[in-house]
């Protein structure tokens, strides 16, 4: 490994990272970008290079070897880079100085490898399209491509640790056609739409995100499989992060002209979030593959949002474990036609509310709702369907009144499984007409709910209270019989 200190290759390091001005004179700072690019250009598998950024540099973009084998290590958040006004490019990317297209399309190129970024700040110098990084007339960038804080493409083995990225024109960090990515201890903070925090385009695999803080004007984490070169996204783990953004995570797999893909094995745990639109935006366009978001597990999270799951795409298995939901519709956008502007744990997407979705399995385990309002747990609409809906523990807090566990606006549930449910503040499972949209009801906790169920909807061998008799009953081979506890 070759180590290069920025101060030893002629960099002035005279930039104030908060303003972009010369921190000594108050005038123009020196553009250190060309010197750094020249020093790093020789990085290769046989000659990996680490830049030690031991000060604060103004840069007109760092455009480092496309194949990787380079690293940037700062000495703390007081060291790093400020993107020069009028750069009209990414702050840092691998590849030539030319602007990289957002969606190069298939096939995905071969991947280089081994890039790490650690312990520095990048100020993206967000402006209004006429000042700051982008002077194209549009804040996000040009018609060809948006300008990102950090843009890494076609790479394996990426480590981003303790990096602060602020005030970006568009996404803070875009990663496209990448694998074996670790992001930890980092901060992303910018205002405005299109300022995603960590934005992954397909294909992408084996991603770990931990101990990060997101304050973004758009999706904190985006898994956008059709974008970039297009491809599946798999094995994504997020833990111990905080969010104050538009959404915690967007997952979508299909868009006209860019293809249909899958997202698999995503888990989010031990996170706290306050979101404007939804915690998880599932889908963006109609026409996804069956089980396209194949598996998503959300556990040990506290989420304040209009909804936890905003459904607009097909999914396989979604498990919610020990999730506390505090409904809040502050500043959210309801896009018409919207039949119900109501918060719920799970509901049609407020943004893409006329898209049907088909889900194989959705389960709640030891989850809770905390609100002073009146709302259902789940709203099902747009002729959507859930194959199996399972409750293994759900409670409404004492101040909450839930008129119906499920509001089936337009759709169906194949099997409703009630194993454990605290019904103290939940008045009924569903409206009387709603039972017509449920194939069967089963579970070890049906009788304990003390709710009445139509005989026709009950599965065999499940004790329940019959709506026709008001008495404990059980179906044996399709015949309703009294049940003796």
């Amino acid at each position: 490994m070759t180590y290069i200190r920025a101060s030893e290759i002629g960099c002035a390091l005279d930039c104030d990272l908060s303003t972009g001005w010369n921190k000594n004179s108050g005038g123009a700072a020196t553009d250190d970008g060309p010197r750094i690019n020249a020093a790093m250009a020789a990085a290769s598998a046989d000659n990996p290079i680490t830049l030690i950024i031991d000060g604060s540099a103004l840069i007109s973009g760092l455009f480092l070897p496309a194949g990787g084998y380079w690293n940037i290590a700062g000495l703390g958040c007081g060291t790093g880079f400020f993107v020069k006004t009028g750069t009209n490019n990414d702050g840092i990317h691998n590849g030539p100085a030319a602007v990289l297209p957002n969606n190069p399309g298939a096939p995905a190129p071969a991947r280089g490898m081994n890039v790490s970024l650690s312990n520095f700040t990048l100020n993206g110098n967000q402006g209004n399209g006429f000042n700051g990084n982008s002077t194209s007339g549009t804040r996000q960038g040009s018609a060809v491509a948006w300008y990102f804080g950090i843009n890494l493409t076609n790479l394996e083995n990426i480590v981003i640790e303790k990096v602060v990225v602020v005030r970006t024109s568009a996404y803070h960090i875009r990663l496209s056609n990448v694998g074996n990515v670790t992001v930890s201890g980092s901060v992303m903070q910018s205002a405005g739409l299109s300022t995603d925090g960590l934005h992954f385009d397909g294909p992408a695999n084996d991603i770990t995100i931990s101990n990060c803080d997101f304050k973004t004007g758009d999706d904190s984490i985006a898994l956008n499989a059709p974008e970039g070169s297009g491809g599946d996204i798999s094995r994504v783990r997020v833990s111990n992060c905080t969010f104050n953004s538009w959404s915690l995570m967007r997952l979508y797999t299909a868009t006209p002209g860019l293809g249909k893909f899958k997202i698999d094995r995503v888990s989010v745990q031990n996170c706290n979030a306050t979101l404007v639109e939804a915690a998880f935006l599932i889908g963006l366009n109609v026409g996804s593959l069956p089980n396209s978001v194949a598996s998503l597990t959300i556990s040990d999270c506290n989420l304040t949002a209009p909804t936890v799951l905003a459904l607009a795409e097909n999914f396989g298995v979604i498990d919610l474990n020990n999730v506390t939901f505090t409904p809040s519709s502050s500043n959210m956008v309801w896009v018409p036609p919207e039949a119900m502007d109501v918060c719920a744990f799970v509901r049609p997407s407020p943004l893409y509310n006329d898209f049907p979705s088909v889900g194989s399995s959705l389960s709640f385990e030891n989850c809770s709702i905390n609100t002073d309002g009146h709302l259902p747990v789940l709203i099902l609409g747009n002729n959507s369907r859930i194959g199996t809906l399972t409750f293994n523990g759900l409670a409404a807090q004492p101040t909450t009144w839930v008129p119906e566990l499920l509001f089936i606006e337009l759709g169906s549930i194949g099997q409703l499984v009630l194993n454990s449910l605290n019904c103290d503040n939940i008045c009924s499972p569903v409206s009387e007409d709603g039972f017509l949209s449920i194939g069967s009801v089963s579970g070890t906790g049906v009788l304990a709910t003390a709710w009445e169920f139509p005989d026709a909807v009950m599965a065999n061998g499940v004790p329940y209270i019959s709506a026709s008799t008001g008495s404990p009953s059980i179906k044996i081979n399709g015949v309703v019989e009294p049940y003796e506890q």
Side-chain angles (χ1 to χ4, degrees):
M1 178 72 70
T2 299
Y3 293 89
I4 298 172
R5 296 181 75 91
S7 61
E8 295 176 355
I9 60 172
C11 291
L13 303 177
D14 59 3
C15 181
D16 184 328
L17 292 181
S18 63
T19 65
W21 292 104
N22 189 304
K23 62 185 177 183
N24 301 312
S25 67
T30 306
D31 182 1
D32 291 325
R35 286 186 181 273
I36 295 173
N37 287 332
M40 298 291 284
S44 66
D46 296 327
N47 182 37
I49 298 177
T50 294
L51 171 72
I52 299 174
I53 179 68
D54 52 346
S56 49
L58 181 72
I59 56 169
S60 51
L62 298 186
F63 312 119
L64 306 180
Y69 298 100
W70 52 265
N71 314 293
I72 300 175
L75 303 181
C77 62
T79 60
F81 310 99
F82 187 100
V83 181
K84 185 178 179 180
T85 294
T87 291
N88 290 306
N89 211 321
D90 304 318
I92 300 172
H93 75 222
N94 63 311
V99 174
L100 301 181
N102 288 358
N103 298 310
R111 295 175 180 174
M113 61 175 51
N114 298 350
V115 167
S116 72
L117 308 172
S118 61
N119 294 300
F120 66 84
T121 292
L122 173 72
N123 187 326
N125 190 14
Q126 184 191 99
N128 60 13
F130 301 94
N131 55 27
N133 174 22
S134 174
T135 53
S136 67
T138 302
R139 184 256 297 168
Q140 290 93 332
S142 71
V144 176
W146 288 351
Y147 309 142
F148 309 133
I150 298 170
N151 188 6
L152 300 179
T153 62
N154 312 317
L155 289 170
E156 291 272 352
N157 302 336
I158 299 170
V159 176
I160 301 173
E161 181 181 16
K162 296 180 181 177
V163 173
V164 176
V165 184
V166 298
R167 295 183 57 212
T168 53
S169 298
Y171 311 152
H172 292 75
I173 302 175
R174 196 279 285 261
L175 301 114
S176 180
N177 185 29
V178 295
N180 298 298
V181 178
T182 300
V183 184
S184 64
S186 295
V187 176
M188 283 141 275
Q189 183 171 341
S190 298
L193 290 176
S194 314
T195 57
D196 292 6
L198 291 169
H199 182 107
F200 292 87
D201 292 338
N205 60 276
D206 299 287
I207 298 160
T208 301
I209 302 164
S210 63
N211 299 295
C212 293
D213 183 67
F214 299 85
K215 293 182 176 68
T216 69
D218 213 311
D219 307 317
S220 295
I221 300 170
L223 306 180
N224 291 9
E227 297 179 8
S229 294
D232 296 342
I233 297 177
S234 60
R235 298 182 296 278
V236 180
R237 181 177 181 182
V238 180
S239 62
N240 303 304
C241 294
T242 58
F243 304 85
N244 190 342
S245 302
W246 178 262
S247 77
L248 189 158
M249 181 180 288
R250 180 189 299 274
L251 306 91
Y252 94 92
T253 67
T255 196
L258 295 181
K260 300 179 181 182
F261 304 96
K262 286 202 171 187
I263 297 174
D264 191 14
R265 283 174 280 182
V266 178
S267 68
V268 178
Q269 61 184 42
N270 295 315
C271 291
N272 293 285
T274 299
L275 296 320
V276 171
E277 195 65 28
F280 295 84
L281 288 164
I282 310 295
L284 180 65
N285 295 292
V286 70
S288 59
L289 296 170
N291 300 323
S292 59
V293 178
S295 56
L296 169 63
T297 300
I298 306 162
S299 57
D300 302 303
C301 292
N302 291 289
L303 306 173
T304 300
T307 181
V308 174
L309 297 178
L311 299 178
E313 185 170 312
N314 300 330
F315 63 90
V317 178
I318 298 180
D319 295 323
L320 303 167
N321 304 322
N322 195 31
V323 175
T324 299
F325 169 48
T326 302
S328 171
S329 58
S330 177
N331 298 318
M332 78 168 303
V333 177
W334 300 97
V335 177
E338 182 60 55
M340 288 187 65
D341 297 356
V342 175
C343 295
F345 220 120
V346 180
R347 59 157 295 129
S349 175
L351 289 173
Y352 318 109
N353 53 75
D354 57 346
F355 295 165
S357 65
V358 177
S360 295
S361 173
L362 172 61
S363 68
F364 295 78
E365 183 168 353
N366 297 324
C367 295
S368 62
I369 301 177
N370 185 16
T371 180
D372 292 331
H374 302 169
L375 50 84
V377 173
L378 180 145
I379 299 173
L380 193 62
N382 305 326
N383 281 314
S384 296
R385 176 178 172 80
I386 298 174
T388 302
L389 176 61
T390 304
F391 291 91
N392 291 315
L394 183 135
Q397 297 302 312
T399 57
T400 304
W401 178 60
V402 178
E404 297 169 357
L405 181 70
L406 314 174
F407 181 83
I408 303 179
E409 184 179 46
L410 187 63
S412 64
I413 295 169
Q415 184 177 32
L416 175 61
V417 182
L418 304 176
N419 289 326
S420 177
L421 196 65
N422 185 334
C423 300
D424 290 347
N425 300 309
I426 305 175
C427 297
S428 67
V430 69
S431 67
E432 185 175 350
D433 290 344
F435 282 113
L436 298 174
S437 301
I438 298 175
S440 67
V441 176
S442 63
T444 57
V446 174
L447 185 63
T449 66
W451 291 332
E452 294 186 352
F453 294 86
D455 298 327
V457 79
M458 292 306 304
N460 282 311
V462 178
Y464 68 102
I465 297 177
S466 170
S468 59
T469 66
S471 300
S473 303
I474 191 168
K475 286 173 73 174
I476 305 297
N477 296 324
V479 179
V480 179
E481 299 181 3
Y483 176 72
E484 296 183 4
Q485 301 185 46

